[in-house]
Amino acid sequence: MDFYQRAGIVCRAIPRGTVASYGQIALLCGKPKNARQVGYALNNGRLGEEVPAHRVVNSRGLLSGAAAFDTFDMQKNLLAGEGVEVLWTREGWQVDRKRYGWKHTMQDAEKFRALFEELGI
């Protein structure tokens, strides 16, 4: 299994105007305990081309990937450009995951699993 290939596929599927957590991506990849590995892969360019990394937030909706972007506010600006409201809190820039979180279905998870099997990853 190539976890990074799987994570890249899942990240590319995050709909515009929504966010997903590192843990959610890991879960959809079949490795629910690998949330930190998703973050590592995003920060080190291991997920391939055209991955919308700005749509990935931590479990509380905090924008935690600033180091991976050209400017400190780039992730916030990209999300805002997609209609995602990003608010300043005591903890930092935050998205309401209940409102903007990607609500994937079991059918989505099954499609990913079938695709991973088909690709041999």
Side-chain angles (χ1 to χ4, degrees):
M1 172 185 79
D2 188 327
F3 180 80
Y4 296 139
Q5 284 183 296
R6 287 183 177 199
I9 290 168
V10 172
C11 285
R12 284 185 209 87
I14 302 168
R16 180 179 172 80
T18 65
V19 297
S21 71
Y22 298 100
Q24 182 179 8
I25 294 164
L27 176 68
L28 289 169
C29 289
K31 293 289 187 177
K33 295 183 179 183
N34 286 29
R36 287 180 186 258
Q37 195 171 353
V38 173
Y40 170 81
L42 283 168
N43 282 330
N44 291 289
R46 301 212 174 208
L47 301 186
E49 298 293 318
E50 299 182 27
V51 173
H54 65 283
R55 296 182 188 148
V56 183
V57 299
N58 77 15
S59 62
R60 295 185 320 256
L62 292 168
L63 279 57
S64 54
F69 296 95
D70 292 339
T71 63
F72 76 96
D73 61 349
M74 185 177 205
Q75 183 178 17
K76 176 185 79 74
N77 292 337
L78 289 168
L79 287 170
E82 293 184 3
V84 176
E85 186 177 27
V86 183
L87 300 174
W88 179 254
T89 68
R90 280 186 273 147
E91 297 180 78
W93 291 107
Q94 190 169 26
V95 172
D96 181 350
R97 286 194 57 223
K98 288 182 182 177
R99 183 173 176 191
Y100 296 104
W102 178 24
K103 292 164 182 66
H104 72 270
T105 64
M106 180 60 82
Q107 185 178 15
D108 293 328
E110 290 170 350
K111 285 181 184 178
F112 283 125
R113 192 184 80 191
L115 177 60
F116 300 153
E117 286 180 12
E118 181 182 318
L119 295 173
I121 58 172

